[in-house]
Amino acid sequence: MEQPSSAVRDPKLADPYVFDNLSRGPFAPKISRHVALPLPQVDSASMEEVPKLTTQRLVLRAPSERDIPAWFARATDVESASLAGDPVPDDTSAGERWLARSRQRFADGRAIQWSIDRVGVSDAIGTITLSFGAAGAKTAALGFVLARAHWGRGLGSEAAREILCHAFETLTLEQVTAEATARNFASLRMLAKLGFKHVESFIDEFDGERCERFALDVNIGSSLLANNAMQDR
């Protein structure tokens, strides 16, 4: 029986414990180590603090020290880490490095990462990230991961939809990209439902996984997200 997945891979960085991944794993889109995506730095005025976003079931907020135990539990889930393309950390000090680098990359205008809570519960069930690169590129890479106990409930789609709205409407980006392993069927379906279009297949040089790359342009994304929001009411 096919297992639900909650991970989309993030771009790999020098420190593997910087971010969780979105599409590659169980709801983890992935962004591979060898891909240098042209992601934008956004206006510093909009990057003074991680914006708190809410949906019907979720609160997306800045990561904090209290999230480290939950992050470590997700990061040591071998199946999820494999799908996300991440190494499994040896101890919780990796969580401290993850948080420090997450904050530093936000301060540098290179990424925004949110911890995902359920409404009314500060439980950090996952993370979701927009990663930026070259200034003025107006593009970002999406990545997220959810804890196994929350797979298959539509929470990844709900969080991703809110972040895409923020990307297109508030950050005025023109394109968002994502990557997932070819075996991560749940994330592939989720990306298609959100309107992402397949760009190419490739082999991740880091772990040899066959992966799929997707992109969502603002003109398509804005209309699809608006329609999805109407259907959810």
Side-chain angles (χ1 to χ4, degrees):
M1 179 177 178
E2 178 186 331
Q3 295 297 314
S5 156
S6 283
V8 174
R9 287 188 165 189
D10 283 318
K12 294 297 186 295
L13 305 164
D15 186 334
Y17 303 120
V18 176
F19 297 124
D20 301 299
N21 294 309
L22 193 165
S23 285
R24 210 194 130 164
F27 271 166
K30 110 177 193 129
I31 301 165
S32 67
R33 289 181 186 273
H34 68 289
V35 177
L37 293 173
L39 311 176
Q41 290 182 326
V42 299
D43 185 345
S44 60
S46 65
M47 295 285 282
E48 294 177 358
E49 61 182 22
V50 175
K52 184 177 180 180
L53 306 174
T54 59
T55 70
Q56 184 176 358
R57 296 182 292 173
L58 303 172
V59 175
L60 312 179
R61 44 98 184 154
S64 68
E65 284 78 6
R66 74 172 187 265
D67 300 335
I68 291 177
W71 175 89
F72 185 74
R74 293 192 304 272
T76 51
D77 182 322
V78 175
E79 179 188 1
S80 180
S82 171
L83 288 168
D86 287 337
V88 176
D90 294 326
D91 55 61
T92 56
S93 65
E96 297 171 0
R97 297 197 300 275
W98 157 74
L99 181 60
R101 290 293 300 276
S102 176
R103 288 172 168 172
Q104 186 60 55
R105 287 178 63 79
F106 176 74
D108 293 343
R110 298 295 304 277
I112 311 174
Q113 184 171 60
W114 290 264
S115 283
I116 304 172
D117 288 342
R118 291 173 298 166
V119 169
V121 186
S122 297
D123 51 359
I125 64 172
T127 60
I128 187 164
T129 307
L130 287 173
S131 298
F132 311 104
K138 304 298 287 182
T139 306
L142 177 68
F144 76 81
V145 66
L146 293 180
R148 180 185 294 270
H150 303 280
W151 294 358
R153 302 181 184 181
L155 297 175
S157 297
E158 188 171 324
R161 187 182 303 119
E162 184 66 22
I163 294 305
L164 290 170
C165 287
H166 183 73
F168 292 135
E169 297 173 3
T170 303
L171 302 181
T172 66
L173 300 184
E174 296 175 358
Q175 185 183 77
V176 175
T177 61
E179 297 173 9
T181 58
R183 62 189 172 101
N184 187 355
F185 302 114
S187 288
L188 296 177
R189 286 195 301 270
M190 185 203 73
L191 291 173
K193 183 177 180 180
L194 290 171
F196 281 82
K197 301 301 181 184
H198 186 259
V199 175
E200 64 177 343
S201 302
F202 67 96
I203 302 298
D204 189 334
E205 294 177 358
F206 170 65
D207 57 10
E209 280 277 1
R210 182 174 180 271
C211 300
E212 310 297 340
R213 184 172 295 127
F214 299 85
L216 179 63
D217 293 333
V218 61
N219 58 334
I220 298 175
S222 296
S223 59
L224 283 172
L225 292 170
N227 290 337
N228 286 341
M230 291 297 293
Q231 293 172 6
D232 290 342
R233 292 177 183 175

